[in-house]
């Protein structure tokens, strides 16, 4: 173990510094492994392109007992594709690489000081020559153009190095490392500060790449024999054998095993070489060259130690260990940088260099061992102890021959390896100008790279990215095709498919993805995209197949999962055939997935639980705007949530006011209107809907229809008729006729009934009943007649013949209310008592019946009966009426505080109900709370300008608040809304009130 951890015998400072260099080296191996595993993913990421799909939905329904009303709108489903992003250049990677190069430079400068004079001068000459080719002038440091910066650096580091070598050779390695480290750091900071270029590290690394490649290739050649040397140790070292508590040495494996294992290793290298040069086209199982490199560089730690100690060139602990660590770190980082930048020409160059050097030096090192140590091997002696002290031919001679062998192997491939290195260099220069947003210069260098190796992936993909940035889809498609020639990736097929899609070549786009899936059958991204394209066709089974398959392979499986829900939402027949397909997973919080789950909820109406609030709503709203997924999830959530609050409306307002969300402004306003309506802020909801209808003529009919139905639900029938009057579709005309009928204006409604009845027999039948063109026959016709033919005093006879319990109850409630309007409470009581058992009727009919019972109790001033009925089943839609009549009961029995409480509860639910507002305002007026009463009336009046009692209340409040002009205006509106007799009667009251106010004012002035 002492030979394995040889540094344990060193001094504490030397041991710590060497262990630090080894840790950095091991870390670089980890970086290489990560960059190698990620491949093209280092520079090309999968982006997600989201698309909104409108789905017609019914987001609210209500009923008056006779007719059901459906408020139709639209929900949004989100479909998403994986899009291969543009090739990215990350200057931060170059900066990290340059830090590693600086550390390598410090290690090398600190190590060569201990060399002999000749070796020192030769080594310094190589390092200075390497500095010369780094193109320092490209940093454009002011006053240090041309070669001045290189000369300055050479003098600075050369003088310090020579000082240590000639005058202070006894300084320990930690001191040398500290001095050169500090000096290098100061130079790096100074250059980074003084250089005006945008990415100085990227410039230095890219222009200095040839130097790094030369050093790396030299080091790879140097360690190329380490695996064979390791086999020498393995086959010549004695093996321990523990038997009977005694340790004995068994014979080594010997030369025959050495030759056999070496033959297998060299055959593997030969197969890789033959495959890479296309001499054979067999899918042979061969070890990756980079695995061989990692094995070689790791074995070299101990192999180089044996070499230095056996040949006694210099001190290993004070120089050799750091020299090897520096070169190993440089080579490993350079290979890792090639992977990290997806510079495949450089990667292929390193593959060839590793194979060629290991094959050439492997054969020659076997020959070196046989020529020099065969007799010793045959004596079963430990050859590894004298491996670098040959008796016949020096190792340097074999290395020279090895160089020739590598040159021959390079030439056998037509020098493609050299051209790949040049192509990789030009790719690096192209990266500089891509990072600085100079596409023309970047394009020129990538084209130069293609001239050296036209199939190299990086150049083609980078040029495709540049073409896409210029919206040149044709050029992008060409370069994506080129990228597929040699080293295809799923991103290439995705990019090619997207270019076809952008140029309306749909079937070519599908074919490109199909080719990609054949090449990469486990690419979930390609399967998702193909499934997405199939959803745009009638081939539903293929869409389902590929989307379902993608969920098992895609790294972001929530994307195909979300697309599956969007597919179900857009194909209700598929979902209806097997409802289990659309099972919603509560564990997926992805915004688009939740949006699609809510869309399905709105479509199916099967889920009655409270929808889950989007998780991101709990976070602070960002200023970057809504993504498609976030918008859809928020919009659908607002439509699906039965009851909303001020928090949600506040979020919607903040988002709609943000200019970055202008693409979603109208939909956000619609969602906000829905939220305001659901929280019973009806004036705000109607104001927003009016704004939308005026600003968006294309969708104006939808907004008018929603507004009209909401107004019907609130009992604002004339305003509802006006809203429907802006539309010309048959449904709106039907609703307009019904609204006018509910407003007790059948004469105005008649023409609309006739228009709709021409093409609808059911509506025609209702029209005939309403205008007495024939007698009602069905239960619905009888109930309709009883409800709306209020001038027929004998309509009760029809009511008695209705058999359907719910219809009979609804019609009976209409009769009851009519009798109560005429103060005939006994008749009303008789009708109520004759209604069917509540267990047999619908919830709507039951609610109407119970509210009518409370009204009767109020008429009779029976508090106990009213309270009892108020606790019976009543749908939330009728709670405002329940509270109003309960308040009426308390007011008529002089329980003013309780009356005011229930009026306030009712006003919270129905702030525009004229009857309710009038009662609440008059009660406030009695209590001298004039401003409160005036505010209530002012909110409701624009929606009830034909309501005489509300207008009278408004006029009187204006008088009491000293607003005579407003009172005159209200009086004029009252004259148009009521009969002359009623108007004259009110004028008398008005004038008396006005005279009283004037008299009071005069008395005050005295």
């Amino acid at each position: 173990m002492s030979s394995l951890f040889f540094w344990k015998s060193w001094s504490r400072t030397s041991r710590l510094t060497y262990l630090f260099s080894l840790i950095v080296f091991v870390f670089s191996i980890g970086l290489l492994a990560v960059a190698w595993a990620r491949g093209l993913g280092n520079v090309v990421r999968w982006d997600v392109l989201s698309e909104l799909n409108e789905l017609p939905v019914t987001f609210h329904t209500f009923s008056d007992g006779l007719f059901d009303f459906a408020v139709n709108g639209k929900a949004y489903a989100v479909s998403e594709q994986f899009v291969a992003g543009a090739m990215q250049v990350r200057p931060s990677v170059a900066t990290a690489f340059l830090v590693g190069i600086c550390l390598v430079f410090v290690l090398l400068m600190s190590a060569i000081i201990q060399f002999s004079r000749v070796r020192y001068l030769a080594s310094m000459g190589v390092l200075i020559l390497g500095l010369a080719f780094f193109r320092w002038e490209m940093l454009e440091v002011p006053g240090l153009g041309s070669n001045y910066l290189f000369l300055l650096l050479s003098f600075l580091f050369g003088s310090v190095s020579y000082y240590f070598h000639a005058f202070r050779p006894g300084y320990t390695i930690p001191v040398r490392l500290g001095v050169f480290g500090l000096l290098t750091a100061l130079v790096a900071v100074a250059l980074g500060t003084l250089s005006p270029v945008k990415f100085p590290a990227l410039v230095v690394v890219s222009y200095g790449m040839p130097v790094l490649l030369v050093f790396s290739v030299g080091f790879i050649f140097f360690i190329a024999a380490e695996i064979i040397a390791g086999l020498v140790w393995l086959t010549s070292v004695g093996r321990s054998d523990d038997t009977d508590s005694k340790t004995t040495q068994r014979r080594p494996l010997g030369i025959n095993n050495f030759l056999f294992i070496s033959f297998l290793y060299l055959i593997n290298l030969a197969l890789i070489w033959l495959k890479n040069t296309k001499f054979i086209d067999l899918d042979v199982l061969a070890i990756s060259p980079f695995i061989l490199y990692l094995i070689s560089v790791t074995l070299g730690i101990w192999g180089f130690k044996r070499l230095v100690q056996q040949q006694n060139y210099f001190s290993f602990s004070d120089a050799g260990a750091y020299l090897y660590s520096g070169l190993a770190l440089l080579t490993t980082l350079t290979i890792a940088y090639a992977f990290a930048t997806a510079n495949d020409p450089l990667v292929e160059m390193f593959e060839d260099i590793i194979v060629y050097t290991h094959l050439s030096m492997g054969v020659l090192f076997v020959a070196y061992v046989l020529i020099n140590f065969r007799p010793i091997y045959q004596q079963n002696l430990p050859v590894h102890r004298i491996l670098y002290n040959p008796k016949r031919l020096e190792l340097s001679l074999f290395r020279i021959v090895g160089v020739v062998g590598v040159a021959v192997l390079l030439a056998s491939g037509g020098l493609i390896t050299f051209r790949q290195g040049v192509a990789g260099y030009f790719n690096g220069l192209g990266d500089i100008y891509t990072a600085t947003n100079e596409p023309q210069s970047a394009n020129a260098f990538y084209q130069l790279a293609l001239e050296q190796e036209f199939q190299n992936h990086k150049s083609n993909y980078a040029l495709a990215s540049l073409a896409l940035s210029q919206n040149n889809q044709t050029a992008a498609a060409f370069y994506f095709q080129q990228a597929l020639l040699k080293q295809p990736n799923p991103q290439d097929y995705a990019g090619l498919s997207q270019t076809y899609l952008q140029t309306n070549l749909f079937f070519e786009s599908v074919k490109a993805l199909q080719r990609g899936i054949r090449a990469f059958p486990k690419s979930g991204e390609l399967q998702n995209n193909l499934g997405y394209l199939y959803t745009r066709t009638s081939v539903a089974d293929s869409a389902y197949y590929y989307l379902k398959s993608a969920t098992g392979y895609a790294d972001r499986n929530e994307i195909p999962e979300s697309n599956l829900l969007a597919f179900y939402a857009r194909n209700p027949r598929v979902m209806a055939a097997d409802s289990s397909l659309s099972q919603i997973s509560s564990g997926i919080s992805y915004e688009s997935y939740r949006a699609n789950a809510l869309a399905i909820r709105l479509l199916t109406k099967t889920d009655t639980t409270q929808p889950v609030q989007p998780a991101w709503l709990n976070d602070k709203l960002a200023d970057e705007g809504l993504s498609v997924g976030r918008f859809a999830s928020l919009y659908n959530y607002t439509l699906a949530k039965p009851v909303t609050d001020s928090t949600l409306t506040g979020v919607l307002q903040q988002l709609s006011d943000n200019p970055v969300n202008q693409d979603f402004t109208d939909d956000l306003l619609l969602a906000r209107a829905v939220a305001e309506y659901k929280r019973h802020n009806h004036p705000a909801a109607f104001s927003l809907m009016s704004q939308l209808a005026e600003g968006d003529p294309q969708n104006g009919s939808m907004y008018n229809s929603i507004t009209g139905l909401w107004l019907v639900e609130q009992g604002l029938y004339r305003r509802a008729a006006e809203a429907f009057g802006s539309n010309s579709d048959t449904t709106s005309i039907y609703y307009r006729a019904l609204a006018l009928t509910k407003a007790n204006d059948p004469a105005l409604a008649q023409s609309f009934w006739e228009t709709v009845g021409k093409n609808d027999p059911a509506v025609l039948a209702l029209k005939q009943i309403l205008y007495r063109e024939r007698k009602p026959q069905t239960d619905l016709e009888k109930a309709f007649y009883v409800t709306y033919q209020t001038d027929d005093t004998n309509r009760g006879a029809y009511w008695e013949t209705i058999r359907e319990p719910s219809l009979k109850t609804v019609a009976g409630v209409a009769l009851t209310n009519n009798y109560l309007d005429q103060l005939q409470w006994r008749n009303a009581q008789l009708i109520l008592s004759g209604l069917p058992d509540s267990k047999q009727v619908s919830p709507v009919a039951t609610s109407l019946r119970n509210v009518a019972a409370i009204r009767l109790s109020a008429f009779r001033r029976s508090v106990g009966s009213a309270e009892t009925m108020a606790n019976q089943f009543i749908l939330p839609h009728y709670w405002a009426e329940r509270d109003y009549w309960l308040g009426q009961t308390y007011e008529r029995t002089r329980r003013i505080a309780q009356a005011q409480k229930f009026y306030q509860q009712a006003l919270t639910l129905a702030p525009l109900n004229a009857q309710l507002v009038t009662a609440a305002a008059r009660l406030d007026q009695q209590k001298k709370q004039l401003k409160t009463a005036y505010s209530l009336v002012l909110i409701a009046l624009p929606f009830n300008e034909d309501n005489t009692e509300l207008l009278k209340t408004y006029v009187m409040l204006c008088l009491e608040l000293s607003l005579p002009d407003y009172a005159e205006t209200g009086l004029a509106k009252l004259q148009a809304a009521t009969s002359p007799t009623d108007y004259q009667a009110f004028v008398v009251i008005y004038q008396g009130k006005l005279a009283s106010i004037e008299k009071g004012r005069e008395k005050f002035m005295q």
Side-chain angles (χ1 to χ4, degrees):
M1 294 296 289
S2 60
S3 62
L4 182 62
F5 302 104
F6 53 81
W7 52 82
K8 285 188 174 182
S9 60
W10 296 358
S11 66
R12 177 181 172 83
T13 53
S14 296
R15 184 169 67 249
L16 291 177
T17 52
Y18 181 65
L19 284 176
F20 173 75
S21 68
L22 279 183
I23 290 172
V24 175
F25 167 61
V26 171
F27 181 68
S28 71
I29 291 178
L31 293 178
L32 170 58
V34 171
W36 183 10
R38 293 187 63 186
L40 189 61
N42 289 301
V43 293
V44 177
R45 67 184 183 190
W46 285 110
D47 295 325
V48 177
L49 181 62
S50 302
E51 178 185 74
L52 284 174
N53 303 293
E54 291 187 9
L55 301 172
V57 296
T58 299
F59 64 87
H60 179 57
T61 58
F62 63 94
S63 174
D64 64 357
L66 298 181
F67 304 103
D68 295 327
F69 298 86
V71 183
N72 296 320
K74 58 184 177 182
Y76 282 107
V78 183
S79 299
E80 295 180 324
Q81 303 177 69
F82 286 104
V83 178
M87 182 165 283
Q88 298 177 326
V89 177
R90 296 186 173 91
S92 58
V93 175
T95 302
F97 182 35
L98 185 58
V99 170
I101 294 173
C102 291
L103 180 58
V104 169
F105 183 70
V106 170
L107 289 171
L108 296 181
M109 291 293 291
S110 302
I112 64 176
I113 287 172
Q114 293 298 307
F115 288 4
S116 64
R117 180 58 56 89
V118 174
R119 287 193 175 93
Y120 168 76
L121 293 176
S123 300
M124 279 302 298
V126 171
L127 287 177
I128 292 174
L129 184 63
L131 282 177
F133 284 96
F134 260 85
R135 302 287 302 276
W136 299 102
E137 70 275 9
M138 299 306 297
L139 291 178
E140 301 177 10
V141 177
L144 293 176
S146 187
N147 292 324
Y148 292 119
L149 181 56
F150 157 67
L151 295 175
L152 177 62
L153 293 175
S154 298
F155 172 77
L156 183 62
F157 285 99
S159 58
V160 174
S161 175
Y162 187 76
Y163 172 78
F164 278 119
H165 175 76
F167 303 106
R168 293 291 186 269
Y171 278 2
T172 60
I173 187 67
V175 174
R176 303 197 300 269
L177 288 171
V179 171
F180 281 112
L182 180 61
L183 184 59
T184 302
L186 291 174
V187 169
V189 171
L191 293 180
T193 304
L194 296 175
S195 175
V197 300
K198 193 171 183 180
F199 302 112
L202 182 61
V203 170
V204 170
V205 167
S206 298
Y207 277 103
M209 185 55 68
V211 178
L212 303 177
L213 294 179
V214 169
F215 274 84
S216 299
V217 168
F219 179 73
I220 290 171
F221 176 80
F222 181 78
I223 64 172
E226 288 299 333
I227 293 179
I228 299 296
L231 295 178
V232 171
W233 176 86
L234 180 65
T235 55
S236 66
V237 69
R239 293 173 294 158
S240 298
D241 184 15
D242 295 334
T243 57
D244 298 330
S245 302
K246 295 181 180 179
T247 302
T248 59
Q249 289 292 115
R250 293 193 296 171
R251 292 179 60 184
L253 294 175
I255 192 169
N256 291 332
N257 287 307
F258 166 72
L259 292 174
F260 179 73
I261 300 172
S262 299
F263 175 76
L264 294 178
Y265 165 66
L266 294 173
I267 284 294
N268 178 80
L269 290 173
L271 289 174
I272 298 174
W273 168 60
L274 293 172
K275 183 179 180 182
N276 288 349
T277 54
K278 305 300 181 183
F279 284 116
I280 63 173
D281 191 19
L282 298 176
D283 191 13
V284 295
L285 181 62
I287 301 174
S288 169
F290 295 108
I291 296 295
L292 297 179
Y293 164 76
L294 292 176
I295 295 173
S296 299
V297 75
T298 303
L299 293 176
I301 297 173
W302 293 270
F304 187 65
K305 173 179 175 292
R306 289 197 299 270
L307 173 66
V308 171
Q309 290 178 343
Q310 291 176 25
Q311 296 193 351
N312 198 23
Y313 289 144
F314 39 76
S315 170
F316 179 75
S317 62
D318 206 32
Y322 301 93
L323 176 67
Y324 186 86
S325 294
L327 291 173
L329 179 61
L330 174 66
T331 306
T332 305
L333 286 177
T334 304
I335 298 174
Y337 185 72
F339 276 113
T341 55
N343 201 339
D344 58 298
L346 289 186
V347 172
E348 293 183 10
M349 185 209 75
F350 276 117
E351 282 185 329
D352 291 345
I353 289 298
I354 293 169
V355 172
Y356 295 163
T357 56
H358 281 62
L359 179 59
S360 177
M361 281 306 302
V363 172
L364 291 170
F365 201 81
V366 170
Y368 166 77
V369 171
L370 291 177
I371 292 173
N372 289 289
F373 305 107
R374 184 174 183 178
I376 300 175
Y377 240 126
Q378 291 173 340
Q379 297 174 33
N380 295 320
L381 295 174
V383 177
H384 63 280
R385 294 182 179 179
I386 58 171
L387 183 60
Y388 299 106
N389 285 322
K391 301 300 181 182
R392 297 181 181 179
L393 297 177
E394 291 291 334
L395 179 60
S396 57
L397 296 175
F398 289 89
R399 291 191 188 278
I400 294 172
V401 177
V403 171
V404 176
V406 172
V408 171
L409 291 173
L410 287 172
S412 69
L415 296 179
I416 182 62
T417 304
F418 175 78
R419 293 201 302 273
Q420 286 174 330
V422 176
Y425 170 66
F426 285 133
N427 280 336
L429 300 185
D431 286 348
I432 296 176
Y433 295 103
T434 299
T436 55
N437 197 24
E438 299 176 67
Q440 292 183 342
S441 298
N443 185 83
F445 280 112
Y446 290 134
Q447 291 289 357
L448 288 174
L450 287 182
E451 291 178 9
Q452 298 295 324
E453 218 287 63
F454 76 97
Q455 291 181 325
N456 92 79
H457 185 274
K458 180 177 177 68
S459 300
N460 283 301
Y461 198 99
L463 288 169
S465 300
L466 290 174
L468 287 176
S469 67
Q470 299 166 2
N471 199 28
N472 189 344
Q473 302 292 338
T474 303
F478 171 78
Y479 288 117
F480 279 129
Q481 287 278 20
Q482 290 290 101
L484 291 170
L485 293 177
K486 191 174 183 181
Q487 292 188 345
N489 287 273
Q491 291 92 331
D492 305 326
Y493 289 104
L496 181 61
S497 172
Q498 192 64 27
T499 58
Y500 286 144
L501 202 59
Q502 292 297 320
T503 51
N504 297 320
L505 297 174
F506 179 82
F507 292 106
E508 293 299 324
S509 178
V510 171
K511 291 177 182 178
L513 291 175
Q514 290 172 337
R515 288 166 48 203
I517 292 173
R518 284 195 294 270
F520 299 95
K522 293 185 178 181
S523 173
E525 290 78 13
L526 296 182
Q527 290 176 335
N528 174 82
N529 287 7
L530 185 55
Y532 164 83
L533 291 184
Y534 275 126
T535 60
R536 299 171 60 176
T537 68
S538 59
V539 192
D541 54 345
S542 294
Y544 171 78
Y545 171 79
Y546 284 109
L547 290 175
K548 192 66 177 177
S549 298
T551 61
Y553 293 117
D555 290 336
R556 296 185 60 187
N557 70 316
E558 67 272 15
I559 304 295
E561 291 280 7
S562 177
N563 281 342
L564 273 174
L565 292 187
F567 169 68
Y568 299 142
R570 294 171 64 183
N571 294 271
R573 289 180 299 175
V574 175
M575 192 164 49
D578 186 357
S579 59
S580 64
L581 292 174
S582 59
Q583 292 297 319
I584 309 301
S585 171
S586 59
I588 301 178
S589 60
Y590 183 58
E591 293 148 5
S592 297
Y593 183 88
R594 302 317 306 178
N596 292 341
L598 288 166
I600 289 179
R601 177 193 180 106
L602 288 166
L603 283 166
T604 59
K605 301 290 185 182
T606 56
D607 191 350
T608 58
T609 61
Q610 284 287 333
V612 179
Q613 176 178 294
W616 60 271
L617 278 179
N618 296 322
D619 303 331
K620 183 179 179 181
L621 293 179
D623 293 330
E624 66 268 17
L626 286 172
S627 65
V628 169
R630 284 197 168 188
F631 158 72
S633 64
L634 175 61
Y635 178 90
N636 291 346
Y637 171 72
T638 305
L639 266 60
K641 189 173 175 62
V643 180
T644 59
D645 51 29
S646 58
T647 302
L648 181 59
T649 55
V651 170
L652 289 166
Q653 181 174 1
Q654 183 179 346
L655 291 172
S656 60
D657 291 343
N658 194 336
V660 298
N661 295 320
Q662 60 181 351
D663 291 341
F664 306 126
T665 299
D666 286 351
D667 290 311
L668 288 172
L669 286 177
L670 175 59
R672 182 180 159 199
V674 172
E676 294 286 12
Y677 186 81
K678 289 182 178 181
R679 63 183 289 255
H680 309 293
N681 188 2
H682 301 146
F686 292 131
S687 175
L688 289 169
M689 294 303 295
S690 176
Q691 177 183 340
L692 282 168
E694 293 175 2
D696 186 4
Q698 183 177 356
N699 294 306
S701 59
M702 179 185 71
Y703 301 137
N704 290 326
S705 179
I706 294 172
T707 303
L709 288 168
W710 282 350
L711 288 166
V712 168
E713 187 176 24
Q714 295 306 312
L716 304 171
Y717 302 124
R718 290 199 177 273
R719 287 296 301 271
E722 292 176 10
F724 289 125
S726 301
N727 295 350
S728 58
D729 60 286
T730 303
T731 303
S732 295
I733 297 173
Y734 164 70
Y735 282 141
R736 187 180 186 186
L738 195 55
L740 290 171
T741 302
K742 286 176 173 289
N744 199 25
D745 194 351
L748 186 58
Q750 185 170 5
S751 62
F752 304 115
W753 282 110
E754 291 174 350
T755 301
V756 183
K758 292 178 181 178
N759 299 313
D760 192 330
V763 175
L764 178 61
L766 293 177
K767 175 253 180 184
Q768 292 171 344
I769 298 303
L770 182 63
Y771 296 101
R772 303 184 185 181
E773 297 174 5
R774 67 177 178 85
K775 294 181 179 181
Q777 297 176 355
T778 66
D779 284 348
L780 177 60
E781 292 175 352
K782 294 174 183 177
F784 181 73
Y785 183 87
V786 170
T787 302
Y788 295 108
Q789 282 293 355
T790 56
D791 59 344
D792 185 357
T793 57
N794 296 318
R795 66 186 187 279
Y798 286 110
W799 172 74
E800 293 177 352
T801 63
I802 298 176
R803 295 183 179 181
E804 205 285 319
S806 296
L807 291 175
K808 186 165 187 174
T809 300
V810 172
V813 169
L815 275 175
T816 300
N817 288 327
N818 186 250
Y819 283 131
L820 289 174
D821 290 340
Q822 299 172 13
L823 306 182
Q824 299 177 20
W825 69 270
R826 297 183 186 278
N827 291 337
Q829 189 171 22
L830 287 173
I831 296 295
L832 279 179
S833 62
L835 294 181
D837 186 354
S838 60
K839 295 180 181 179
Q840 302 174 5
V841 301
S842 67
V844 172
T846 301
S847 301
L848 289 170
R849 170 181 176 159
N850 291 337
V851 170
I854 299 173
R855 181 182 180 183
L856 178 61
S857 300
F859 187 89
R860 297 175 57 193
R861 293 177 173 82
S862 176
V863 175
S865 174
E867 290 176 340
T868 300
M869 296 308 302
N871 291 325
Q872 299 299 312
F873 173 80
I874 297 176
L875 288 172
H877 174 65
Y878 300 97
W879 285 356
E881 291 185 64
R882 176 199 64 187
D883 292 342
Y884 165 71
W885 289 114
L886 197 57
Q888 281 280 294
T889 307
Y890 289 126
E891 184 178 1
R892 293 176 183 182
T893 55
R894 307 286 184 182
R895 302 183 185 185
I896 304 303
Q898 289 175 291
Q900 192 168 31
K901 171 188 173 183
F902 280 95
Y903 284 158
Q904 290 300 322
Q905 289 181 194
L907 284 170
T908 302
L909 300 174
L912 302 181
N913 185 296
Q915 188 180 34
L916 168 60
V917 170
T918 300
R922 286 177 176 174
L923 187 59
D924 289 336
Q925 188 178 12
Q926 293 174 15
K927 299 179 67 176
K928 301 303 180 182
Q929 297 174 352
L930 300 179
K931 290 186 178 180
T932 302
Y934 181 75
S935 297
L936 293 177
V937 174
L938 203 60
I939 291 172
L941 190 59
F943 298 89
N944 297 275
E945 292 184 340
D946 60 337
N947 188 279
T948 58
E949 294 303 314
L950 186 63
L951 282 170
K952 291 174 183 178
T953 305
Y954 171 73
V955 170
M956 300 306 290
L957 284 170
C958 288
L959 285 179
E960 294 194 46
L961 289 170
S962 300
L963 301 171
D965 292 340
Y966 290 167
E968 290 290 340
T969 302
L971 198 60
K973 292 182 178 179
L974 178 63
Q975 185 177 15
T978 190
S979 64
T981 303
D982 184 58
Y983 174 73
Q984 290 300 325
F986 179 75
V987 167
V988 173
I989 299 173
Y990 170 79
Q991 289 175 345
K993 184 67 173 179
L994 183 61
S996 176
I997 292 173
E998 290 294 335
K999 185 177 179 180
R1001 186 179 300 170
E1002 291 175 0
K1003 186 176 180 180
F1004 177 78
M1005 295 298 295
Q1006 292 176 359

